[in-house]
Amino acid sequence: MAKTAARGGRSKAATSGSGRKRPTARVAAKAANSAVAGTSAPELETIFDYVRHAADRLQRAHVIFAHGTTDPVAEAAFLVGEAMQLHPDEVEPQATLRVPKAAGRRILAWIEQRIATRKPAAYLVNRMYMRGLPFYVDERVIVPRSFIGEILDSHFGGDDVLCLRDPATLTRVLDLCTGSGCLAILAARAFPNATVDATDLSADALAVAARNVREHGLDDRIQLAQGDLFAAVRGRRYDLIISNPPYVDAEGMAGLPRECLVEPRMAFDGGTEGIDLVRRIIDRAETHLAPGGGLLCEVGRCKPAIEKAYPRADLLWLDTEESEGEVFWIDAAGLDGLSA
């Protein structure tokens, strides 16, 4: 029987710096109002001026925001912050800071490139943030935007009403379909006593993951392996398996926006119903979980298909600040004999 867990409707975990982070209220409100009005010959001096101008250009060009930012103001603030070498949390407090000419030219070039190529902004600057941490990204990997990062913060330990596991007790973690390695890195930080195995079928993706692991100083705790799901970790068992696998169904694949077509197709395509890989993960997870372990998996809009395929599964659906029923948890005991 499926059930949903939420604290007061949704998790209260901080979203500062996450891959889906909204811009702070004041900059968003001011820039949004100015962007709608527009200006034919804007005088660009401060960070606020550039955010306003960039948001206006993006809005008028009808670009799609699906890669960690949710609207033109958020994306404009992200790009301006990168040009100014500011963390996303620093953009709003520095809104009145004057932008040097070189940084201004960089911002304007990125905006025009974003519009002309429809490449995600993260690819233009080779950076994306999750849970406040920066990660290198390029066209070899999907732009990271998983809800699992928030759940690692909000549902493991602490005073949470729903504590899945005490983080101190986790010693072995597996991240399937690691892509850029962001979730493996977040898991290593969340579980200080754990070593993390991170696998992916794509050698290109693992090259990006290796760079991120190295830049975060976690080479001694994260091991990368190439292979098809569990094939890369035969015989190993884990306290926690996490995965944000491809889960876009056939209808979704047919309607992907131009921005998403720049990303690796294999990172999206989940088959007709979107659950081809999710099925394989569920069917084999039990043999790779230690007693008391569990599987944490993101499935997008595929909840109905999962519940139809596994009507007896005791799935716990976890809400986050910006999602409802897109991530499930099931423990090792619940996986016993569950193969569809």
Side-chain angles (χ1 to χ4, degrees), residues 21-30 73-74 77 88-93 95:
K21 182 180 181 295
R22 297 185 180 94
T24 50
R26 282 179 297 189
V27 167
K30 291 180 180 178
V73 175
D89 291 343
E90 298 174 320
V91 174
E92 191 267 342

Side-chain angles (χ1 to χ4, degrees), residues 257-301:
R258 185 176 166 189
E259 280 82 350
C260 292
L261 297 179
V262 182
E263 298 177 275
R265 182 182 177 88
M266 67 179 293
F268 287 105
D269 194 351
T272 302
E273 294 181 292
I275 62 172
D276 285 3
L277 270 77
V278 180
R279 277 178 176 268
R280 293 173 57 201
I281 291 170
I282 292 175
D283 291 348
R284 296 201 55 200
E286 181 194 1
T287 62
H288 290 276
L289 282 172
L295 167 65
L296 189 64
C297 186
E298 184 166 331
V299 298
R301 67 181 187 183

Side-chain angles (χ1 to χ4, degrees), residues 180-195:
S180 62
C182 55
L183 290 182
I185 291 167
L186 291 175
R189 292 172 61 92
F191 312 125
N193 298 323
T195 57

Side-chain angles (χ1 to χ4, degrees), residues 99-116:
V99 176
K101 290 183 178 180
R105 288 193 295 269
R106 191 175 306 119
I107 294 166
L108 297 179
W110 280 341
I111 293 300
E112 296 312 310
Q113 195 176 358
R114 173 75 173 89
I115 292 169

Side-chain angles (χ1 to χ4, degrees), residues 5-26:
R7 301 181 300 165
R10 291 190 179 183
S11 165
K12 301 296 184 183
T15 57
S16 175
S18 86
R20 303 171 187 262
K21 182 180 181 295
R22 297 185 180 94
T24 50
R26 282 179 297 189

Side-chain angles (χ1 to χ4, degrees), residues 53-268:
H53 173 70
D56 182 43
R57 290 287 294 123
L58 293 170
Q59 183 181 47
R60 292 173 183 273
H62 303 291
V63 299
I64 300 298
F65 306 100
H67 300 86
T69 57
T70 56
D71 55 67
V73 175
E75 185 143 313
F78 168 66
L79 289 172
V80 172
E82 286 302 296
M84 293 291 289
Q85 298 183 335
L86 295 173
H87 186 278
D89 291 343
E90 298 174 320
V91 174
E92 191 267 342
Q94 301 290 334
T96 60
L97 190 69
R98 292 180 68 89
V99 176
K101 290 183 178 180
R105 288 193 295 269
R106 191 175 306 119
I107 294 166
L108 297 179
W110 280 341
I111 293 300
E112 296 312 310
Q113 195 176 358
R114 173 75 173 89
I115 292 169
T117 67
R118 285 316 203 250
K119 283 186 178 183
Y123 287 161
L124 300 181
V125 303
N126 295 125
R127 192 187 305 273
M128 179 48 68
Y129 293 84
M130 288 188 67
R131 311 306 294 164
L133 295 181
F135 295 96
Y136 173 87
V137 294
D138 61 31
E139 286 88 340
R140 291 174 292 177
V141 295
I142 192 173
V143 177
R145 45 194 184 271
S146 175
F147 298 119
I148 290 177
E150 180 182 331
I151 291 173
L152 296 180
D153 287 343
S154 64
H155 287 82
F156 287 85
D159 297 324
D160 199 321
V161 174
L162 177 69
C163 176
L164 298 176
R165 284 286 301 266
D166 179 350
T169 66
L170 297 173
T171 60
R172 293 297 303 270
V173 176
L174 172 62
D175 176 24
L176 293 172
C177 307
T178 194
S180 62
C182 55
L183 290 182
I185 291 167
L186 291 175
R189 292 172 61 92
F191 312 125
N193 298 323
T195 57
V196 181
D197 288 341
T199 73
D200 204 287
L201 187 59
S202 167
D204 284 341
L206 289 173
V208 175
R211 173 171 178 165
N212 281 318
V213 169
R214 182 173 62 253
E215 291 183 352
H216 283 274
L218 291 167
D219 296 89
D220 59 333
R221 295 184 53 210
I222 298 177
Q223 180 177 342
L224 304 175
Q226 184 180 6
D228 186 7
L229 296 179
F230 297 104
V233 292
R234 297 182 189 278
R236 302 180 196 174
R237 287 185 178 266
Y238 300 90
D239 301 311
L240 172 66
I241 298 173
I242 60 177
S243 185
N244 181 23
Y247 54 68
V248 179
D249 58 24
E251 180 182 355
M253 290 299 297
L256 284 178
R258 185 176 166 189
E259 280 82 350
C260 292
L261 297 179
V262 182
E263 298 177 275
R265 182 182 177 88
M266 67 179 293
F268 287 105

